[in-house]
Amino acid sequence: MKRREIQAMIAHYGADALTEALEPFVSERRLARIEAVLDARLTSVEVAVERPYDPHNAAAVVRSAEALGAWGVHVIAASERIVRNRSTTAGTGEWLEVSSYGDLDAFLGSARARGMTLAGACVDATHMLDELPLDRPICLLFGNEHAGLSPAAQAACELRYRIPIHGFAESYNLSVSAALSLYSLTARKRAALGRAGDLDASDPRRAGERLRWIVQSVDPRHVRARFPLPAPPRPTPDLGAGDDTTGVE
């Protein structure tokens, strides 16, 4: 089920009602897995891709981000659908937040409101991947395979870094760059934290994710039958529109 649909159910029926009705349908083993994954989530690590070009590469970023415990993926100046290729993501896009923005400014406003430090991957950067700071929330920003990050995106980054290359290749592709960067950053974050993740039990985002994952773990036919959403209202026809056919002159 899409996260938007689950959110609509929560808004309509309430979180407690969904939890009480659906949790009994989830096995103890699955509930334990949900808690373990929540324990390993890093809310201080996000990924953004500007103008993704290749849908397979873009979707692979989502899969790596979810597997390594990042909190969310942001798509800039492209449709969110480009990162939802299920043959590549293997469904992982349903287990973390994927957001899309019409342009760079919209993304920057959101990232700054959440206190994220932007670190752009650039082949000519002076800082190295393993020098990224661990003491603040960070969003790794990548460009597409053809153009890289736009000048505006590079200018907006507080940090610019590069990934070491020891061969003749001049760069890595998008999905490999994201996977290498995420692996390095999340491993160093966890070592600094001394635990798998930073999503505390008192954080309301944890309860929200837990419920969404419970819903995802139940047959969607059962969920929709138990919690049907009202149909959107039909548009009211404009009876005054169209040609004047009264014949009155």
Side-chain angles (χ1 to χ4, degrees):
M1 294 178 65
K2 301 293 187 185
R3 289 174 71 94
R4 292 189 190 92
E5 183 180 2
I6 297 173
Q7 283 301 109
M9 288 179 178
I10 295 172
H12 188 72
Y13 292 100
D16 292 343
L18 268 76
T19 302
E20 182 179 353
L22 298 178
E23 189 167 331
F25 291 93
V26 183
S27 69
E28 290 296 325
R29 181 178 179 180
R30 183 64 168 183
L31 289 171
R33 178 67 185 277
I34 287 173
E35 294 298 336
V37 174
L38 285 169
D39 285 342
R41 277 293 191 252
L42 289 166
T43 61
S44 56
V45 177
E46 298 179 356
V47 184
V49 183
E50 184 188 29
R51 299 175 300 168
Y53 176 81
D54 185 312
H56 294 286
N57 261 331
V61 174
V62 174
R63 186 170 183 171
S64 295
E66 198 284 324
L68 290 166
W71 186 246
V73 176
H74 308 280
V75 182
I76 305 167
S79 170
E80 181 182 319
R81 289 177 293 180
I82 198 169
V83 298
R84 292 201 177 276
N85 185 316
R86 290 189 66 86
S87 65
T88 303
T89 65
T92 52
E94 307 305 333
W95 302 101
L96 83 170
E97 188 74 37
V98 178
S99 307
S100 60
Y101 304 83
D103 55 34
L104 178 64
D105 287 341
F107 163 73
L108 293 176
S110 173
R112 287 166 178 158
R114 289 176 287 107
M116 303 301 294
T117 294
L118 297 181
C122 305
V123 295
D124 60 347
T126 54
H127 288 87
M128 301 302 291
L129 169 60
D130 61 6
E131 295 175 332
L132 290 177
L134 305 176
D135 59 350
R136 67 196 78 166
I138 193 164
C139 181
L140 303 175
L141 182 56
F142 300 92
N144 65 41
E145 296 87 340
H146 298 283
L149 283 175
S150 67
Q154 292 191 43
C157 290
E158 288 87 352
L159 300 166
R160 295 166 65 240
Y161 73 95
R162 61 188 174 94
I163 306 168
I165 293 177
H166 302 290
F168 289 109
E170 294 183 354
S171 64
Y172 300 97
N173 73 15
L174 169 61
S175 61
V176 173
S177 295
L180 290 171
S181 299
L182 281 165
Y183 182 82
S184 172
L185 181 60
T186 57
R188 292 172 57 234
K189 279 264 187 184
R190 291 184 171 107
L193 286 168
R195 54 194 174 110
D198 59 12
L199 184 57
D200 296 328
S202 59
D203 191 323
R205 292 176 294 180
R206 182 176 180 119
E209 283 296 90
R210 182 179 187 275
L211 175 54
R212 281 186 284 272
W213 295 354
I214 285 174
V215 175
Q216 293 282 20
S217 301
V218 178
D219 188 324
R221 294 171 296 180
H222 174 78
V223 178
R224 292 182 178 119
R226 178 64 180 81
F227 296 101
L229 288 172
R234 293 183 177 181
T236 303
D238 185 356
L239 299 179
D243 296 333
D244 184 356
T245 59
T246 61
V248 177
E249 295 182 358

